[in-house]
Amino acid sequence: FIAYINNENCVVINRKQNDTARRAIVAFEPNDHVLMYTCGITPYDATHLGHAATFIAYDVLQRRLIDKGHTVRCIRNVTDVDDPLFAKARELGIHYLDLAAGEEARFERDMEALNALPVAATPRASSAIPDIRGFIGMVLDRGFAYESGGSVYFDVSKFGSFGSLSHYSDDEMLVLAKERGGNIDDPNKRSPLDFVLWHPSASDEPSWDTMWGAGRPGWHIECSALALRELGTTIDLHGGGADLIFPHHECERAQSEAATGEPFVKHWMHTALIHKDGEKMSKSLGNLVFVDQLRETWDPRAIRLAIIEHHYRTEWEWDDELMPRNAARLDSWNERAGSNPDLLDGVRTHLDDDLDTPGAIAAIDDAARRGAGVAEAAALLGVDLD
């Protein structure tokens, strides 16, 4: 069962995996019970296709693991304590938790429509404040953090392998930190790459008391605390979009291993980004395709097919032919909704080769053209036929 990952992206699946951190194909041989953590949404807007592509990739992975006889405990957090959520709530003039609840519910409706398996838990960051306070105390006690200016920072100089997940240089990390929400010019830091674990809240933001002063957690510490609470010290596989490799996952790994003294993640899996109009699909650019809007016109199964006809670690561009092509594909599959054990085994082989969903879809397309049954093979991809 092998998982592929290039230096910017993700997993394979065939008892081997090319891991983001190691940049090499390595054995992926989990125990019967697999522990997975995927970084979830910051619930301040609707689910766009980039979100969906990430979570559907992990859904296919879970389906194949279950098909192989594993049980899977997958945790997908909700980042309901974060700057973008507060900014949007401020703009709309509503409480941030009301905004989060509404958008989280919309996200769950989209995932259900796309036939994503239920995950074991979707814990909110706001539920973990006691865990976060205890976690920060562990990092401080072990000498990897310091207090300054009313905040607590992680000291990257004390963690010798910082940067070994992303393999970026210090200059590259500084550029990405600045682009992705880090305040590299914070005068309270000892080093620009140090990152915040706890900091004072703005006047209209939530605040909790600690021995270091009132405030709220930094972004990265939330996932570390939730992962430790829900899954324990070491996770079999941790996922997210490729844009989370740095700073989020680099910082998450550092503080987790600093706190526990144990390896945090055995295998890192990252999904490639989706583009529209020649740019990465992102809320800041506004070039988004929303799943709930697509569902107004198209069968959700066709949306799922439109996503997985692309390989999870290959960047791709949205185009207007994507949905008509996959609606027609769904129709052709529905006409051949029978059993075909040989096809099912062939699809398994594709999924066991770097989670090759494009190859699996091509095999099902070919079987449908030949008049063979495709229902079981389609179901393994999460597409239930009529």
Side-chain angles (χ1 to χ4, degrees):
F1 181 54
I2 160 173
Y4 243 14
I5 304 181
N6 67 21
N7 63 330
E8 291 261 311
N9 298 27
C10 343
V11 305
V12 174
I13 276 185
N14 232 350
R15 303 261 175 187
K16 291 185 179 178
Q17 168 178 333
N18 186 1
D19 177 271
T20 304
R22 284 166 281 190
R23 298 196 293 181
I25 297 176
V26 297
F28 181 50
E29 298 176 336
N31 295 325
D32 291 342
H33 188 56
V34 182
L35 302 178
M36 291 178 58
Y37 187 96
T38 65
C39 280
I41 60 167
T42 301
Y44 67 98
D45 209 338
T47 312
H48 63 71
L49 208 63
H51 294 143
T54 292
F55 300 122
I56 293 304
Y58 302 127
D59 183 70
V60 175
L61 172 60
Q62 287 184 77
R63 288 174 181 275
R64 179 58 180 134
L65 285 167
I66 293 167
D67 181 55
K68 288 176 69 70
H70 296 278
T71 58
V72 180
R73 179 168 173 79
C74 181
I75 304 300
R76 187 183 65 224
N77 72 297
V78 177
T79 306
D80 66 344
V81 181
D82 198 20
D83 292 338
L85 175 63
F86 299 148
K88 186 62 176 288
R90 199 175 290 131
E91 175 189 330
L92 296 175
I94 62 176
H95 195 280
Y96 79 98
L97 287 179
D98 291 335
L99 174 60
E103 295 301 340
E104 183 182 357
R106 179 155 57 158
F107 170 77
E108 292 293 349
R109 288 194 296 271
D110 286 339
M111 290 297 100
E112 183 178 359
L114 294 175
N115 200 30
L117 295 171
V119 294
T122 57
R124 290 182 168 197
S126 60
S127 76
I129 299 303
D131 306 280
I132 291 168
R133 285 186 293 217
F135 195 101
I136 294 171
M138 293 166 65
V139 179
L140 281 165
D141 288 346
R142 291 175 59 88
F144 289 94
Y146 59 91
E147 299 177 56
S148 177
S151 297
V152 181
Y153 299 94
F154 188 89
D155 188 343
V156 299
S157 71
K158 299 293 180 64
F159 192 78
S161 63
F162 189 78
S164 64
L165 170 58
S166 62
H167 297 276
Y168 295 137
S169 67
D170 284 359
D171 288 343
E172 289 170 323
M173 287 192 285
L174 285 170
V175 170
L176 289 172
K178 188 172 184 178
E179 288 178 356
R180 297 172 179 174
N183 183 5
I184 64 173
D185 299 317
D186 183 346
N188 294 312
K189 291 182 179 182
R190 294 176 181 171
S191 166
L193 283 176
D194 290 352
F195 56 91
V196 67
L197 305 180
W198 190 269
H199 58 127
S201 303
S203 59
D204 62 346
E205 295 174 350
S207 181
W208 293 269
D209 291 330
T210 72
M211 66 181 67
W212 319 292
R216 62 181 177 90
W219 171 30
H220 313 306
I221 197 72
E222 296 171 358
C223 281
S224 286
L226 286 170
L228 181 62
R229 186 184 79 184
E230 299 288 340
L231 296 172
T233 301
T234 303
I235 303 166
D236 291 307
L237 189 142
H238 193 317
D243 54 345
L244 295 181
I245 295 173
F246 189 89
H248 187 49
H249 288 166
E250 191 75 70
C251 297
E252 193 184 344
R253 181 188 71 89
Q255 66 201 6
S256 294
E257 295 185 1
T260 68
E262 300 292 334
F264 176 43
V265 173
K266 294 179 182 178
H267 301 283
W268 289 94
M269 172 181 177
H270 293 95
T271 57
L273 304 179
I274 301 175
H275 296 253
K276 184 175 182 289
D277 305 326
E279 298 281 353
K280 181 193 82 167
M281 202 176 284
S282 70
K283 291 178 180 177
S284 61
L285 294 174
N287 59 340
L288 300 176
V289 177
F290 291 106
V291 172
D292 60 351
Q293 293 176 358
L294 286 175
R295 291 201 286 120
E296 294 175 2
T297 304
W298 304 101
D299 189 315
R301 295 173 296 177
I303 301 172
R304 186 178 177 106
L305 284 171
I307 291 169
I308 63 175
E309 77 166 20
H310 303 92
H311 194 271
Y312 76 93
R313 61 183 177 91
T314 301
E315 294 189 358
W316 54 276
E317 178 92 9
W318 167 268
D319 67 72
D320 292 337
E321 298 303 315
L322 193 65
M323 290 313 307
R325 178 171 67 248
N326 282 283
R329 169 176 281 138
L330 178 61
D331 288 342
S332 72
W333 289 14
N334 271 321
E335 293 174 358
R336 304 297 179 187
S339 176
N340 185 336
D342 290 340
L343 175 62
L344 178 59
D345 286 342
V347 167
R348 286 170 171 153
T349 298
H350 281 291
L351 296 184
D352 288 350
D353 179 15
D354 195 11
L355 208 63
D356 179 17
T357 56
I361 286 176
I364 298 174
D365 283 344
D366 181 64
R369 282 192 295 268
R370 292 185 286 103
V374 302
E376 291 175 328
L380 185 55
L381 299 180
V383 180
D384 296 332
L385 301 182
D386 296 337

